[in-house]
Amino acid sequence: MSKQATEAIAGLGVTEMGRVYGHTASDWATEAVSLAVADAGLSLRDLDGLLVNPGMSAPDLDISLAGKLGLHDLGVLSLVQSYGASAGAMLAYASMAIRSGMATTIACVFADNPLRESTRASDAYRRTSAVQGASGLQIVSGLSDVTTYYALAAQRHMARFGTTSEDLGAIAVAQRQWAQLNPRALMTDDLTIAQHQESRMIADPLHLYDCCMVSNGGVAFVVTSAERARDLAQPGVGVLGFAQCHPGYANDASSDFGLRSGATVSGQRALAMAGARIEDVTVAEIYDCYTFTVALSLEDYGFCAKGEAGPFTASGATAPGGSLPVNTGGGQLSSFYMWGMTPMSEAIIQGRGHGGARQVENNDLVLVSGNGGVLDHHATALLAPLDR
Amino acid sequence: MKGQQVTSPDESAPETAVSEVSLTRDAHTAALFDAMASGHLPVAVCRDCEHVTAATTLRCPACTGDDLRLTPSTGRGAVASWSTTHDRAGAVRTSPGIVELDEGAFVFGALTDPALRRVGARVQVAFRTSAEGEHYPVFVPEPLSTKEVRS
């Protein structure tokens, strides 16, 4: 890469994950920020900026987190909400704030607490709003949860491009193979295409193993100047490019819903900022609420041709030992569910070279992809080890 | 008030069983619900650029204009996408579809016949009523006579 990063990620904090009870979302966020700051070799007093992204079950998590952390005289303090694209959005806003001089050292945090001891994972994100108006017309049509919307997206893609359920299964299997190399992953049992096919249908065409889990926990990272990051405790991971795209699908035949996502434009913009081509990307961490989201994103970024994500993945290209390692920690399908922080945290680990058994050989350029809503919001980041 | 009747703009549309569901209108959808109560499924047409889109749309997705008028559609179209949701035993719980009306607008509606679980399947709207008496669309197979006219 000819371009040198001027900002870098210097700290990463990941709390305990999964079915862990007795915490609030702001407890998780407090712990994650503290861990990230310590990881960087800094103290909370060194922070002069804080960006907060609450999950859907985090009513107590807002900018009062700054007070809970004892922070003073912040130059940047704000909520960010682009759903699964928030991690990439926070990284971008923090980098720009540092570049502009608003702040020097900014923590970005996500936390959520959707699981209760009495709650099934399938109910944790179920919509409970009044059955009224336009959204009510969708609910009475049989659309009560996000999974069904993604199922409609996947079904449209399958009909247009010939994608099969086995294609999606290949993505679940490849990510499970990565998860088996990740000590933090929550789902590490062997998984085969046959088991994927036999798993119960949630919303046709999505089987159980096409769907991510839901987790309690928090993740934070610290952004600072590349210059400062060089003097800190961890290998700095430089920020080379970032971009977003929010397509705004129309409810008519002009809609690309299910066929093409914001990753197309977001990816091109981020690559342009980094002065890179998609062929330069050596490892990709891609938002994976469902296997289908990975398939669509791989195509939209241009890692493979439109409609080819299935064969591309089935070839083993994205699995351990493949030509393009994808979701090297197991992703949200197999490791843990922290919205865009799942791919972001794994990108930081790979960028540092701290992946242990799952460390990729070539971490020259790491693509991080966030996706929010129902393919409504995309954020892309391009990261690279500093001074390479 | 318990509405259980099915109304359809086409007498040949089959009657379908209705489960009691709750659905009420809001300020943005009053005209749409009035239209459905009168037996037709409207689409929204932008007065500025003539773009045709869903009747639930507030701003034209083509030109951002806010002057959308509702106009009756044929109520016929093709399945743009579909799904089935299942209970833990595997039985079908719901069968939602996105229908592309012949005018171009997308409409969400339950697909009442397993034969409609196919992208491109021809459908026609029928209406059910909610526990509160509001009409809402479901989709039934397009009557054969209509298909013959089309081919």
Side-chain angles (χ1 to χ4, degrees):
Chain A
M1 299 296 304
S2 55
K3 179 172 167 163
Q4 288 298 311
T6 53
E7 289 76 38
I9 299 170
L12 173 65
V14 181
T15 68
E16 198 179 353
M17 285 291 160
R19 290 197 169 273
V20 188
Y21 306 114
H23 299 64
T24 65
S26 65
D27 291 340
W28 290 121
T30 301
E31 185 186 343
V33 171
S34 303
L35 288 169
V37 167
D39 178 65
L42 294 167
S43 86
L44 286 168
R45 286 190 305 279
D46 294 311
L47 292 181
D48 57 4
L50 179 66
L51 294 175
V52 181
N53 169 220
M56 300 299 276
S57 308
D60 61 312
L61 180 56
D62 55 30
I63 56 175
S64 69
L65 182 68
K68 291 173 177 135
L69 287 163
L71 303 179
H72 300 285
D73 300 319
L74 295 181
V76 169
L77 174 61
S78 194
L79 283 178
V80 172
Q81 189 55 277
S82 311
Y83 304 112
S86 303
M90 289 193 291
L91 177 64
Y93 303 148
S95 299
M96 289 189 288
I98 291 163
R99 209 171 297 178
S100 72
M102 284 181 77
T104 65
T105 311
I106 302 176
C108 305
V109 62
F110 167 84
D112 203 4
N113 204 48
L115 295 172
R116 302 287 182 276
E117 283 176 85
S118 57
T119 310
R120 275 187 176 155
S122 57
D123 293 327
Y125 278 73
R126 193 176 295 284
R127 188 159 62 182
T128 53
S129 55
V131 183
Q132 193 179 35
S135 66
L137 284 165
Q138 298 182 17
I139 292 170
V140 301
S141 300
L143 288 149
S144 61
D145 58 26
V146 172
T147 305
T148 317
Y149 287 88
Y150 274 94
L152 290 169
Q155 200 79 258
R156 193 177 189 212
H157 188 275
M158 286 177 159
R160 182 72 60 92
F161 298 112
T163 314
T164 67
S165 176
E166 289 84 354
D167 290 341
L168 300 183
I171 290 169
V173 169
Q175 291 193 202
R176 182 60 59 88
Q177 290 167 0
W178 283 113
Q180 290 176 328
L181 304 172
N182 179 4
R184 274 191 172 275
L186 296 174
M187 295 188 178
T188 55
D189 290 345
D190 286 344
L191 181 66
T192 64
I193 299 280
Q195 285 171 314
H196 169 274
Q197 290 295 294
E198 287 158 14
S199 68
R200 67 188 175 89
M201 193 66 90
I202 304 295
D204 196 328
L206 301 178
H207 291 257
L208 179 65
Y209 289 129
D210 289 307
C211 306
C212 68
M213 68 188 89
V214 179
S215 310
N216 292 347
V219 178
F221 59 84
V222 175
V223 187
T224 189
S225 68
E227 189 182 355
R228 185 174 198 197
R230 289 188 183 92
D231 297 329
L232 296 178
Q234 302 290 345
V237 178
V239 183
L240 288 178
F242 45 76
Q244 299 177 25
C245 180
H246 309 266
Y249 301 114
N251 264 319
D252 58 55
S254 69
S255 172
D256 276 340
F257 176 70
L259 305 178
R260 189 179 295 279
S261 74
T264 307
V265 170
S266 181
Q268 288 165 357
R269 289 173 178 164
L271 287 163
M273 185 187 288
R277 299 166 306 151
I278 196 68
E279 295 81 11
D280 300 326
V281 173
T282 59
V283 50
E285 309 295 350
I286 295 179
Y287 198 93
D288 60 331
C289 43
Y290 302 91
T291 51
F292 172 68
T293 315
V294 180
L296 188 65
S297 303
L298 286 170
E299 296 172 3
D300 289 345
Y301 281 115
F303 290 118
C304 60
K306 204 73 206 161
E308 293 298 315
F312 180 68
T313 310
S315 75
T318 65
S323 58
L324 179 74
V326 172
N327 292 344
T328 51
Q332 302 188 102
L333 294 170
S334 286
S335 70
F336 54 81
Y337 179 75
M338 281 285 115
W339 287 17
M341 284 297 198
T342 300
M344 184 66 75
S345 60
E346 181 64 16
I348 296 166
I349 290 167
Q350 292 289 343
R352 288 176 173 180
H354 290 178
R358 69 185 192 278
Q359 178 62 42
V360 300
E361 257 176 60
N362 184 344
N363 65 356
D364 283 353
L365 189 60
V366 187
L367 180 143
V368 191
S369 178
N371 159 71
V374 185
L375 306 167
D376 293 306
H377 309 290
H378 264 87
T380 309
L382 289 162
L383 308 179
L386 281 181
D387 307 315
R388 184 159 302 174
Chain B
M1 182 162 73
K2 284 192 181 160
Q4 296 285 314
Q5 78 276 17
V6 172
T7 59
S8 166
D10 186 322
E11 292 299 312
S12 61
E15 293 243 332
T16 46
V18 180
S19 65
E20 192 151 321
V21 298
S22 174
L23 175 66
T24 55
R25 66 182 62 198
D26 60 15
H28 288 307
T29 50
L32 166 59
F33 278 100
D34 282 344
M36 291 193 290
S38 74
H40 69 83
L41 183 62
V43 295
V45 181
C46 176
R47 287 187 204 268
D48 293 329
C49 77
E50 299 299 314
H51 185 83
V52 178
T53 192
T56 50
T57 307
L58 303 179
R59 287 261 177 180
C60 174
C63 76
T64 71
D66 65 353
D67 195 4
L68 302 177
R69 97 189 124 85
L70 296 189
T71 185
S73 74
T74 57
R76 288 190 289 270
V79 172
S81 194
W82 62 274
S83 183
T84 48
T85 65
H86 299 256
D87 64 21
R88 288 192 165 248
V92 172
R93 212 163 44 84
T94 65
S95 183
I98 302 174
V99 167
E100 181 182 326
L101 295 174
D102 290 343
E103 291 79 3
F106 280 0
V107 182
F108 290 96
L111 304 177
T112 60
D113 187 321
L116 300 180
R117 296 171 194 162
R118 176 175 64 81
V119 171
R122 292 292 304 172
V123 295
Q124 172 171 327
V125 74
F127 292 101
R128 292 183 183 172
T129 49
S130 73
E132 296 86 354
E134 292 288 14
H135 289 60
Y136 62 92
V138 299
F139 289 92
V140 301
E142 187 178 48
L144 200 57
S145 59
T146 314
K147 278 186 225 166
E148 283 166 356
V149 168
R150 290 178 55 83
S151 62

